[in-house]
């Protein structure tokens, strides 16, 4: 592992103190966003709150970048290096939940922060401000850019920002996500396309004169059948999944319109392109069989994540130097109570699947307070993230800290609950310090960024980033409805 002498140096102490001194305000911002619980591309109040906070500290805010009203860039400082923070704030539909250890919605059916994104942006906003405080005091040169990235959940925000060059000129980028362990990731994520197929036929009475009808749902079904046969001939790591969003309304009306929504994922961008082409051909074939027409609506197209060992080692060193938070007896009891809602076999299954060495020791642990070595080198997680697109533009690190009860399912009320109380807050403040520490290491040890870039070039393997979104595609601003 790459080591830095005298890890905790004066500017870093300064930054950590800034976070301790300002923690009430940081928590206030996170809790406000938790309560707003705005879904992707509708995060008007959340993005405004963050942008105004950055402006108070002299960051120059550029609001509404990449044709998304809730995307912004806040910049402070001058010259090189330029360090970016990738912050998010979107909530998930239907996951409203009070900050209590049993299931109880704040408002039934409303969105909630079931992935803890209220903590995400706030953590990195705090890291940027703490770094700024240390830079000012010690006359450290460099530029900080906080990116307010909307719609992470639908994998939209950073892809469109990347296409529009918003991340150009960065020397490194830091992404953090609330999680259940304190660790930086050496793994990758799947590249992915998200697209809808709109089929059009002709309606008729389904019993009176069905021969006059052309069923759009027939085309949807034929297309799905075609894709199911394709499944046998794709690499095992590929993922193709779909829902039928509109399959007609009553059996006695031949549906003139039907719609499916597909995700296609694979460990490399080119593999997704190949599968996407095959699926488009299957949709054309469905038209021929059913007599329909259709159009494809591509919603987003993203890359696979490139880890960066140099930055991962820096995060690990900082997480260890700072040390994980201590929890009060009340917090531990709260976690224990919440843990009762998680089936034991599900928790064990999750730990086992993580392939973390020694995972058996965590079966009866509710909050992880260790800082393990990253263990997932070469692994590709099933899911996807548009942090990946940034990782093809500049050396990028993705890390987590324990911010929810161990074993909590992803996108769940259990995560909404923890993200709105002190366990989530502690994970956030810990991560904010680590991100500030990493930034100050990069700013004060000039040899680090060239090393990270060397690693970045190696990981890209000579391939350049070419955004997978068509140049004229607009962000899907109304994909999710505000509630
Ligand atoms: Zn998330």
């Amino acid at each position: 592992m790459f080591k830095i002498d005298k890890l905790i140096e004066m500017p870093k102490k300064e930054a950590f103190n800034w976070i301790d001194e300002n923690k009430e305000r940081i928590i206030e911002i996170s809790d406000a966003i938790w309560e707003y619980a705005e879904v992707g591309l509708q995060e008007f109040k959340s993005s405004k709150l963050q942008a105004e906070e950055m402006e108070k500290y002299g960051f120059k805010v550029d609001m509404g970048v990449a044709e998304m009203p809730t995307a912004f860039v806040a910049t402070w400082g001058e010259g090189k290096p330029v360090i970016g923070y990738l912050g998010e704030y979107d909530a998930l539909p239907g996951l409203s939940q009070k900050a209590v250890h049993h299931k109880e919605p704040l408002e039934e059916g409303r969105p909630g922060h079931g992935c803890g994104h209220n903590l995400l942006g706030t953590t990195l906003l705090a890291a940027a401000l703490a770094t700024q405080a240390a830079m000012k005091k010690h006359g450290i040169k460099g530029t900080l850019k906080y990116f307010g990235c909307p719609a992470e959940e639908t994998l939209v925000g950073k892809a469109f920002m990347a296409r529009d060059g918003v991340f150009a000129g960065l020397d490194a980028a830091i992404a953090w996500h609330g999680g259940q362990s304190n660790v930086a990731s050496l793994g990758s994520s799947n590249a992915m396309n998200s697209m809808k197929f709109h089929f059009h036929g002709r309606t008729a009475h389904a019993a009176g004169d069905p021969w006059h009808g052309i069923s759009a749902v027939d085309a949807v079904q034929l297309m799905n059948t075609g894709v199911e046969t394709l499944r046998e001939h794709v690499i095992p790591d590929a993922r193709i999944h779909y829902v039928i969003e509109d399959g007609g309304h009553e059996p006695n009306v031949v549906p003139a319109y039907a719609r499916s929504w597909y995700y296609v994922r694979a460990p490399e961008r080119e593999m997704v392109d190949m599968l996407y082409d095959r699926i488009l051909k299957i949709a054309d074939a469905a038209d021929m069989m059913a007599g329909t027409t259709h159009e494809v609506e591509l919603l987003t197209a993203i890359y696979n994540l490139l880890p960066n060992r140099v930055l991962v080692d820096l995060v690990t060193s900082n997480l260890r130097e700072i040390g994980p938070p201590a929890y009060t007896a009340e917090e531990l009891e709260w976690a224990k109570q919440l843990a009762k809602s998680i089936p034991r076999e599900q928790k064990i299954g999750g730990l086992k699947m993580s392939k973390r060495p020694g995972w058996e020791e965590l079966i009866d642990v509710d909050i992880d307070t260790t800082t393990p070595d990253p263990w997932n080198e070469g692994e590709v997680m099933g899911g996807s993230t548009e942090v990946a697109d940034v990782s093809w533009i500049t050396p990028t690190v993705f890390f987590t800290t324990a911010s929810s009860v161990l074993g909590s399912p992803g996108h769940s009320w259990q995560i909404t609950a923890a993200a709105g109380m002190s366990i989530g807050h502690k994970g956030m403040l810990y991560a904010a310090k680590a991100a500030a520490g990493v930034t100050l290491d990069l700013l004060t040890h000039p040899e680090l960024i060239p090393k990270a870039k060397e690693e970045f070039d190696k990981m890209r393997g000579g391939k350049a980033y070419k955004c997978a979104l068509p140049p004229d595609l607009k962000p899907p601003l109304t994909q999710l409805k505000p509630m």
Side-chain angles (χ1 to χ4, degrees), residues 115 117 120 152-153 177 411:
C115 201
H117 290 196
L120 265 59
E152 191 277 339
E153 293 294 355
H177 202 298
H411 295 179

Side-chain angles (χ1 to χ4, degrees), residues 93-104:
L95 285 174
S96 172
Q97 164 67 26
K98 290 184 181 169
V100 295
H101 56 60
H102 55 276
K103 190 171 192 298
E104 190 183 341

Side-chain angles (χ1 to χ4, degrees), residues 198-281:
H198 301 261
F199 284 97
H200 305 277
R202 187 168 63 222
T203 191
H205 192 294
D209 61 341
W211 49 88
H212 285 134
I214 296 173
S215 169
V217 80
D218 282 356
V220 166
Q221 296 205 90
L222 289 163
M223 176 183 167
N224 291 348
T225 304
V227 170
E228 293 307 337
T229 62
L230 171 66
R231 221 181 263 290
E232 189 185 341
H233 308 287
V234 304
I235 55 161
D237 288 334
R239 298 279 183 275
I240 307 172
H241 35 125
Y242 55 80
V243 292
I244 300 173
E245 278 200 313
D246 188 338
H249 301 281
E250 12 180 344
N252 65 350
V253 179
V254 173
Y257 173 75
R259 181 174 72 249
S260 59
W261 186 1
Y262 267 76
Y263 281 6
V264 51
R265 313 187 200 231
E268 286 177 29
R269 186 61 236 166
E270 295 80 358
M271 296 175 186
V272 172
D273 290 336
M274 245 161 56
L275 289 171
Y276 182 60
D277 281 347
R278 293 286 304 266
I279 292 170
L280 294 186
K281 284 192 183 119

